[in-house]
Amino acid sequence: MCIRVIGAAGNQRYARIGDVIVAVIKDALPQMPLERSEVIRAVIVRTCKEFKCEDGIIIRYDDNAAVIIDQKGNPKGTRVFGAIAEELRELNFTKIVSLAPETLFIFSFI
Amino acid sequence: MQALLRNVCRSGTRGTSLKFLDCTPPGAAQSFIEPLGPCSWIRQIVSPVIPHDGVQAYGFCTKALALRGFSTVGAAEVSVEDEDSSSPMVDHPPRIKFKRPDKTARHIMNILNKEAVDKVRTEREIPDVQPGCIVQMRVQVPENKRRESTLKGIVIARRNAGIATTFRLRRLVAGVGVESVFPLYSPNIKEIKILDRKKVRRAKLYYLRDRMNALKK
């Protein structure tokens, strides 16, 4: 569950793809390094809300997803599921993009 | 009453007070106060009778005329100015409510739109993409790499807007459903190929969001 959007200005209420958020774990599988009610940082990679690109293309995923990262921006896990947008590479999340099974280039393409 | 006020407001900067006063009998000035109660910009008349060779306009004329930047100083010039299109007593020609269709901006924009669409159509061949088509397209992304990627999915919606016609493509990417909206006439779309047409009874197939089949939907 998201607690706070990091680096957001006062009038920005909601996080978008590529924003880092502070979240708390509500539910965890049993034998995992992270447990319930731990406060972590994560970067949002997919949203159900549409994202608009400059060339008029709008992208909308079917789920909301985030990747748990540490303070520096490296993912804590070793695998990432689902499609990731290439935009994250420019935001210095290159490790996440390289782990992704399929990346969408510039928010759109396989 | 309203007509009188309209006359006042319409007439030119000079000589308004005189004209106004010429219209009204002096006794009627008293009766002006009550109906004008609700108007906030009208103050009560200082004195009901206003001398003809008085230079200022007293009473409710002042505030109104002051708001409009009028000054009634120099009331010797009685003539209405030329740029004022109407003199108080002359009727307007009957107003036309609608412009001629050729002159509306809407008409011109339609023509421009059509021209732009025709221009794009002569350069590339764009098939008729309807909801229910399974479509494969080659898209080029100019931003980072000049690579062409192929996308395959089902068209679930189409929005017609001239040159800005868009269609919504839904596809499965790594187990996640992704919907994208593409402008039909975008130069980044190199090729669109229709693979299959499914029979649908709807223009917008949003119900497919709940039906995530494993196959290519």
Side-chain angles (χ1 to χ4, degrees):
Chain A
M1 190 189 84
C2 173
I3 303 178
R4 172 77 51 189
V5 180
I6 293 191
N11 54 349
Q12 183 193 339
R13 285 161 180 255
Y14 307 110
R16 285 177 272 194
I17 296 184
D19 284 344
V20 178
I21 62 169
V22 176
V24 65
I25 299 180
K26 284 290 190 186
D27 194 11
L29 295 178
Q31 266 84 33
M32 285 281 164
L34 296 172
E35 284 165 359
R36 195 171 171 276
S37 75
E38 265 192 46
V39 177
I40 46 150
R41 288 196 172 205
V43 61
I44 293 185
V45 298
R46 289 195 294 274
T47 54
C48 277
K49 179 75 183 151
E50 310 88 31
F51 184 88
K52 301 183 191 180
C53 313
E54 284 111 19
D55 45 357
I57 297 182
I58 300 180
I59 296 286
R60 186 188 164 277
Y61 296 93
D62 270 359
D63 65 342
N64 303 307
V67 173
I68 298 180
I69 56 175
D70 58 6
Q71 288 285 349
K72 283 203 221 79
N74 299 323
K76 270 199 179 167
T78 48
R79 286 179 68 195
V80 171
F81 301 110
I84 306 283
E86 278 278 328
E87 242 72 349
L88 292 182
R89 190 184 296 228
E90 284 143 34
L91 296 168
N92 298 329
F93 293 118
T94 46
K95 196 118 188 300
I96 299 179
V97 173
S98 60
L99 281 175
E102 287 179 29
T103 58
L104 304 186
F105 294 132
I106 307 296
F107 282 114
S108 336
F109 319 118
I110 296 182
Chain B
M1 171 47 112
Q2 300 295 331
L4 281 175
L5 285 179
R6 239 183 277 132
N7 281 338
V8 168
C9 299
R10 244 200 256 135
S11 44
T13 58
R14 277 162 270 186
T16 33
S17 64
L18 278 188
K19 278 218 153 44
F20 186 89
L21 298 167
D22 285 338
C23 309
T24 70
Q30 281 287 355
S31 61
F32 288 168
I33 307 179
E34 293 86 23
L36 291 177
C39 304
S40 58
W41 50 268
I42 295 175
R43 265 192 250 111
Q44 282 213 339
I45 297 181
V46 172
S47 74
V49 176
I50 299 160
H52 272 230
D53 38 24
V55 177
Q56 272 91 29
Y58 293 105
F60 53 79
C61 294
T62 331
K63 189 96 175 166
L65 299 174
L67 281 180
R68 292 169 183 272
F70 291 162
S71 78
T72 51
V73 179
E77 302 135 275
V78 184
S79 60
V80 179
E81 285 181 283
D82 280 350
E83 53 252 28
D84 199 14
S85 58
S86 64
S87 52
M89 302 308 162
V90 167
D91 287 325
H92 286 287
R95 283 186 184 235
I96 26 168
K97 213 151 183 230
F98 300 109
K99 278 186 181 179
R100 261 177 54 212
D102 294 356
K103 284 171 117 186
T104 55
R106 191 194 324 145
H107 183 79
I108 296 174
M109 282 308 290
N110 279 345
I111 294 178
L112 287 177
N113 236 335
K114 239 188 270 183
E115 279 174 19
V117 168
D118 290 335
K119 192 159 98 93
V120 173
R121 277 195 177 262
T122 51
E123 289 167 22
R124 289 200 289 283
E125 188 235 309
I126 297 175
D128 181 32
V129 172
Q130 291 295 326
C133 291
I134 302 196
V135 148
Q136 178 167 347
M137 23 191 284
R138 276 193 303 146
V139 185
Q140 187 191 48
V141 179
E143 266 103 0
N144 51 1
K145 309 145 200 175
R146 300 216 142 249
R147 256 198 283 174
E148 290 206 353
S149 10
T150 24
L151 321 174
K152 197 157 104 165
I154 186 169
V155 174
I156 59 174
R158 177 191 163 120
R159 179 184 183 273
N160 295 318
I163 192 76
T165 303
T166 58
F167 67 95
R168 224 179 160 104
L169 195 73
R170 184 180 169 79
R171 55 203 163 103
L172 258 187
V173 177
V176 177
V178 180
E179 280 180 21
S180 325
V181 175
F182 296 104
L184 189 60
Y185 300 115
S186 162
N188 287 337
I189 299 179
K190 293 303 171 203
E191 192 202 334
I192 304 182
K193 216 176 4 177
I194 300 186
L195 304 174
D196 192 14
R197 254 184 227 269
K198 293 215 181 293
K199 176 171 189 277
V200 287
R201 306 197 59 172
R202 227 145 231 93
K204 306 275 189 295
L205 315 176
Y206 296 142
Y207 63 87
L208 289 179
R209 286 180 192 157
D210 304 325
R211 304 236 226 118
M212 291 275 293
N213 303 335
L215 40 109
K216 213 18 122 168
K217 282 185 297 297

